[in-house]
Amino acid sequence: AGVTIDSIQNRLPHHAKVVRAMLNTAVQIRDGAICYSTGKNIADADQELVHRFFSSVGLTLEGEEKHLDAVVGLSGSAPAYFYLILEALSDAGVRHGLSRDVATRHASQAMLGAARMVLESGRHPGELKDEVCSPGGVTINAIYSMEKAGVRAAMMDAVDSCIKRNYELARLNE
């Protein structure tokens, strides 16, 4: 985290080909999220190779290097955020009588299914959320509790904190 293409390039021979990428741990199961930027010596053929390489382990997007810091805070660190949420949901299931295994599997599948709905439908998460929330129903009541507890702001703050720390690490690497 925090290492720029220029900082790498400056330590290598001038003709070196440099790629900076942010990926998350889900690449271990070929379902990761990868964003990469390329240095000045990357040719079109190299670009294609890099994209194919990363695509073999997950969703791969090329982006401007200035956006990689946001990707660090968003998808790079997000598995940890989601594990925390899954653990909390699992704990709630156990609290209400489910076994740990059943609670964790149901919570995990619900998260996976929701993520797939967003990716495959192309619809906004808020629109999909609204379809689950019946007027006066149980889900809108739960959403109200989450909003009251500041879950949305906490998630946004977590990403901001991660990005801020990434900038601090970048300054140390200069």
Side-chain angles (χ1 to χ4, degrees):
V3 179
T4 65
I5 289 173
D6 284 344
S7 69
I8 298 168
Q9 194 79 55
N10 291 337
R11 293 181 173 109
L12 298 172
H14 72 281
H15 60 277
K17 298 177 180 187
V18 176
V19 175
R20 179 179 171 209
M22 184 66 232
L23 45 104
N24 63 27
T25 57
V27 298
Q28 296 173 67
I29 60 165
R30 297 181 184 258
D31 209 9
I34 303 102
C35 186
Y36 71 93
S37 293
T38 57
K40 58 187 174 192
N41 296 328
I42 300 291
D44 288 345
D46 300 321
Q47 181 83 13
E48 188 177 316
L49 178 65
V50 167
H51 194 84
R52 273 198 336 252
F53 173 76
F54 285 129
S55 292
S56 71
V57 292
L59 172 72
T60 300
L61 303 171
E62 181 184 7
E64 294 180 49
E65 184 178 26
K66 68 181 181 180
H67 295 136
L68 284 182
D69 294 319
V71 172
V72 168
L74 188 60
S75 63
S77 297
Y81 314 153
F82 296 136
Y83 297 143
L84 181 68
I85 292 167
L86 285 171
E87 182 181 32
L89 290 170
S90 180
D91 286 348
V94 170
R95 182 175 176 219
H96 289 279
L98 297 177
S99 72
R100 174 66 65 191
D101 179 63
V102 167
T104 301
R105 290 172 61 118
H106 275 282
S108 297
Q109 184 59 49
M111 185 177 283
L112 179 62
R116 282 189 178 150
M117 288 283 290
V118 170
L119 290 173
E120 293 178 16
S121 73
R123 294 167 63 198
H124 190 279
E127 181 183 352
L128 294 167
K129 173 199 55 126
D130 287 348
E131 287 184 357
V132 182
C133 295
S134 306
V138 296
T139 306
I140 193 63
N141 208 45
I143 294 295
Y144 172 76
S145 293
M146 293 172 73
E147 292 286 8
K148 196 165 107 177
V151 170
R152 182 185 307 259
M155 296 302 296
M156 293 172 74
D157 285 348
V159 172
D160 291 347
S161 178
C162 189
I163 293 168
K164 179 182 176 195
R165 181 62 179 150
N166 192 60
Y167 288 142
E168 292 168 358
L169 292 172
R171 283 194 290 276
L172 293 175
N173 288 317
E174 291 176 347

